Amino acid sequence: MNTNDVSAGRLVRAPEGFLGPEGIRTVFSQARTGRRDFIRGALAAAATAASSLAAAQSNPAPSAGGDPNILNLPEHSKGLGQGVATDGYGKPSRFESNLQRRQSPGLTQTTQSSVSFAPLQSMFGIVTPSGLHFERHHQGWWDVDPSRHRLMVNGSSPGMVAKPLVFTVDEIMRLPSVSRFHFIECGANTGMEWGNVAVPTAQYSHGMLSCSEFTGVPLITLLEMAGADLKKGKFVLAEGADGSSLTRTIPLSQILSGEVLVAYGQNGEMLRPENGYPLRLVVPGAQGVSWVKYLRRIELGDKPYATKDEAVHYIDLMPDGLHRQYTSIQECKSVITTPSGGQVLLDRGYYNITGLAWSGRGKVARVDVSVDGGRNWRAARLETPVLSKCLTRFNLDWVWDGKPVILQSRASDDTGYVQPSYRQNRAVRGTRSIYHNNSIQSWLVQENGEVKNVQLS
Ligand SMILES: Nc1nc2c(c(=O)[nH]1)N[C@H]1C(S)=C(S)[C@@H](COP(=O)(O)O)O[C@H]1N2
Ligand SMILES: [Mo]
């Protein structure tokens, strides 16, 4: 084993179409099959690599010219490195240029009313770097001047709010703040899969999903400051400042708990313009459309508003022909991100099956993983922290024997809800929905190591 194994881990393949010129990162194995204690085997292999690397770096090796005093070291171990970065804001390594959010060719007619997907298959842990957060815009994004932006809090009728207020961003940032980790998932995530398998990779099947630490002020604080009547009020209308006039109804019951935030921070800095700078609503557990960006108005009322974004869009066409409205909580769901569609296993042997699980109703309680198309299930290890309405990372040890297998993950949350199969979901929902598909995902690992998106009927 030598240090070249590191680059083997970065081998890329670029299947046609969706992946762009860079392809995606594959995974690689270090230990061979046949070892009964495969974890110890993998660790031993890693230790050997480390010690031979150390030996290579400390032992003088004869140069081509035969001068034994010249060390056979890479440039970066001999010369002077670069000075502190001059651009003031760091960027990823140039070797990581394949790590990108991507658009789906042909999905939408304009990029202003479109979506970019987060590269779930190449991320670690639970936090989405802000530059890789998925985007969903109804009429393009704006870099709104925070010194001119305002947020109004008013009532639908006289008396609903005693003294309507208009806040500047500075005024909101002076108030007591909280920081919390939450996932955001577009209600249309995995929507193309209702009818059948539609896309090749986890990026496109599940990448309208991201997770950040959000910082802001509980919306209830602003309502109380404005003297809101929290007995008469039952619902809030949230309105964005972009041309789409995006508006959604949020039940006051969810706001009273203090979890709905008027956020300005994302992962330790201000929100990115694409994600709603300078203010966005954070509605933990609710589908993305309720997380209104460029938030400019909050109105307290006593009934749901039935706006275009909840009466006509984001509704579920049921088998009986009726539409289901206001299904805004994202139910428990999970996906294996490695190995996943478009990746290639380079060899049989040990792999860490890893993925993400989440629930809009609370904490992930367990994740079971099957490597035989759902016949047998093993409990995966949940990585801490396991937070409410937040992505949870799971892992499972697995040795691939080189035969075709179907990998699946099935999450349950702390309400006892279990993620359904496609068959179970279609029995209730039919096949004509777009939104709210939380079915169990299947990945087929073929004999040649290539991983494909499949569905079991
Ligand atoms: N003002 C405004 N808010 C918006 C949208 C929008 O187009 N305009 N899109 C919504 C939808 S459908 C989703 S899924 C999320 C996406 O948030 P993101 O772009 O930060 O990922 O924002 C929601 N909030
Ligand atoms: Mo969305």
Side-chain angles (χ1 to χ4, degrees), residues 133-138 184 186 240 242 244 246 274-275 280 288-289 291-294 314:
H133 195 290
F134 85 97
E135 301 159 85
R136 171 72 177 104
H137 315 302
H138 288 80
I184 167 173
C186 177
D242 53 330
S244 68
L246 193 113
E274 306 95 294
N275 305 120
R280 96 170 301 167
V289 68
W291 297 47
V292 176
K293 302 190 275 191
Y294 322 106
Y314 300 92

Side-chain angles (χ1 to χ4, degrees), residues 124-429:
F124 316 120
I126 57 173
V127 170
T128 308
S130 297
L132 294 175
H133 195 290
F134 85 97
E135 301 159 85
R136 171 72 177 104
H137 315 302
H138 288 80
Q139 244 191 38
W141 60 273
W142 297 90
D143 199 359
V144 173
D145 181 349
S147 69
R148 302 187 58 192
H149 187 73
R150 299 289 183 271
L151 171 64
M152 181 161 93
V153 178
N154 69 286
S156 63
S157 56
M160 191 64 89
V161 163
K163 49 173 195 324
L165 291 175
V166 175
F167 293 89
T168 65
V169 176
D170 282 341
E171 284 166 350
I172 286 173
M173 292 181 72
R174 281 180 67 178
L175 297 172
S177 67
V178 295
S179 294
R180 295 194 189 122
F181 291 88
H182 289 297
F183 77 84
I184 167 173
E185 181 184 25
C186 177
N189 200 25
T190 326
M192 288 181 283
E193 311 274 305
W194 271 116
N196 213 327
V197 169
V199 295
T201 67
Q203 180 157 13
Y204 292 104
S205 64
H206 289 75
M208 282 194 257
L209 170 75
S210 293
C211 184
S212 300
E213 185 193 43
F214 291 100
T215 300
V217 177
L219 176 56
I220 189 67
T221 305
L222 305 184
L223 287 167
E224 281 170 349
M225 286 173 75
D229 186 333
L230 301 177
K231 294 229 162 55
K232 248 192 343 184
K234 295 276 179 286
F235 297 94
V236 146
L237 180 78
E239 181 183 271
D242 53 330
S244 68
S245 300
L246 193 113
T247 41
R248 286 285 304 190
T249 302
I250 320 286
L252 190 63
S253 52
Q254 198 174 356
I255 295 163
L256 289 174
S257 74
E259 67 174 7
V260 176
L261 305 181
V262 173
Y264 45 82
Q266 179 182 353
N267 296 330
E269 59 182 357
M270 290 296 285
L271 290 162
R272 293 291 170 91
E274 306 95 294
N275 305 120
Y277 179 88
L279 293 179
R280 96 170 301 167
L281 205 61
V282 166
V283 193
Q287 61 179 332
V289 68
S290 293
W291 297 47
V292 176
K293 302 190 275 191
Y294 322 106
L295 182 71
R296 74 169 173 206
R297 199 165 71 87
I298 290 289
E299 179 178 297
L300 182 65
D302 55 7
K303 49 182 176 300
Y305 284 77
T307 70
K308 69 168 166 50
D309 293 305
E310 49 204 16
V312 183
H313 305 300
Y314 300 92
I315 54 179
D316 302 316
L317 180 55
M318 305 298 278
D320 61 5
L322 292 178
H323 277 113
R324 193 171 73 169
Q325 297 176 325
Y326 295 107
T327 38
S328 58
I329 301 298
Q330 296 296 101
E331 299 292 355
C332 189
K333 184 168 168 181
S334 68
V335 62
I336 293 171
T337 52
T338 292
S340 64
Q343 295 184 323
V344 185
L345 304 191
L346 297 185
D347 204 350
R348 53 188 68 183
Y350 174 81
Y351 290 89
N352 176 41
I353 295 178
T354 189
L356 295 165
W358 61 100
S359 167
R361 300 205 184 267
K363 288 185 183 176
V364 170
R366 63 181 287 150
V367 178
D368 295 298
V369 169
S370 171
V371 298
D372 58 8
R375 273 183 288 278
N376 297 286
W377 297 88
R378 270 198 291 157
R381 293 188 305 278
L382 302 188
E383 204 169 271
T384 53
V386 177
L387 300 170
S388 182
K389 305 173 187 181
C390 183
L391 294 188
T392 298
R393 170 70 58 178
F394 64 86
N395 297 293
L396 187 82
D397 300 312
W398 175 55
V399 174
W400 184 44
D401 60 7
K403 300 208 181 80
V405 289
I406 289 179
L407 307 179
Q408 299 178 319
S409 65
R410 183 183 66 194
S412 331
D413 66 20
D414 59 4
T415 71
Y417 177 94
V418 182
Q419 183 184 3
S421 66
Y422 267 97
R423 185 185 310 193
Q424 290 168 321
N425 246 350
R426 287 192 181 118
V428 180
R429 302 278 307 278

